[in-house]
Amino acid sequence: MAHHTVFVYGTLRRGQPNRVVMRPHLVRDLGPGRIRGVLYDWGSYPAATLDEDGVIAGEWVVVTDEGMHALDALEDYPHLYTRTIVSDEVRDLRGWVYCMPAEQARRGGPRIAGGDWVAHVARRHGPR
């Protein structure tokens, strides 16, 4: 069975609502990471583009083949998102990321300042 390294930056991150989709297929959590790109707020989830200069915060995970199929279905790959191999900005890690062209990503909503979906959602919802 093959394993796949994936960079997750939105609703698949620890504590986020779609983590349950990945959890049964999670082989290993490799911890935090940062890649080049920009996030846009599409309401209930972010869209990443690698076509613009910025930094995206996220996490590196390793999933099974079944996990990649589950992620492909969740991300509507290849119709909504494409995927490509990226490298971490600091750590010696490479793997898949789901992304889209900048023109498409911009149509969804505003750019997320700081490139961190989890921090953005916390700011958006304010203190509880």
Side-chain angles (χ1 to χ4, degrees):
M1 175 184 303
H3 293 164
H4 308 273
T5 303
V6 182
F7 182 79
V8 295
Y9 53 83
T11 64
L12 289 164
R13 287 176 64 181
R14 225 174 297 123
Q16 296 300 301
N18 283 327
R19 186 71 170 207
V20 298
V21 172
M22 186 173 58
R23 191 171 295 128
H25 313 290
L26 188 61
V27 174
R28 196 165 36 155
D29 186 338
L30 300 174
R34 298 172 74 76
I35 64 168
R36 300 298 307 163
V38 171
L39 292 182
Y40 286 89
D41 184 342
W42 278 40
S44 58
Y45 59 93
T49 180
L50 309 180
D51 301 336
E52 295 180 286
D53 192 36
V55 177
I56 298 172
E59 300 164 11
W60 290 97
V61 296
V62 178
V63 297
T64 62
D65 282 332
E66 292 82 9
M68 281 306 291
H69 293 302
L71 295 180
D72 284 350
L74 175 71
E75 304 292 0
D76 194 17
Y77 167 81
H79 306 291
L80 179 60
Y81 288 92
T82 60
R83 57 176 154 90
T84 192
I85 298 288
V86 292
S87 296
D88 193 271
E89 286 291 289
V90 178
R91 302 175 66 197
D92 186 24
L93 291 169
R94 281 176 49 86
W96 293 108
V97 69
Y98 290 89
C99 57
M100 60 182 62
E103 182 179 308
Q104 180 182 351
R106 283 188 216 112
R107 287 194 300 254
R111 183 174 172 158
I112 296 173
D116 188 328
W117 173 253
V118 173
H120 175 72
V121 169
R123 284 190 306 270
R124 191 169 63 185
H125 292 114
R128 296 182 185 238

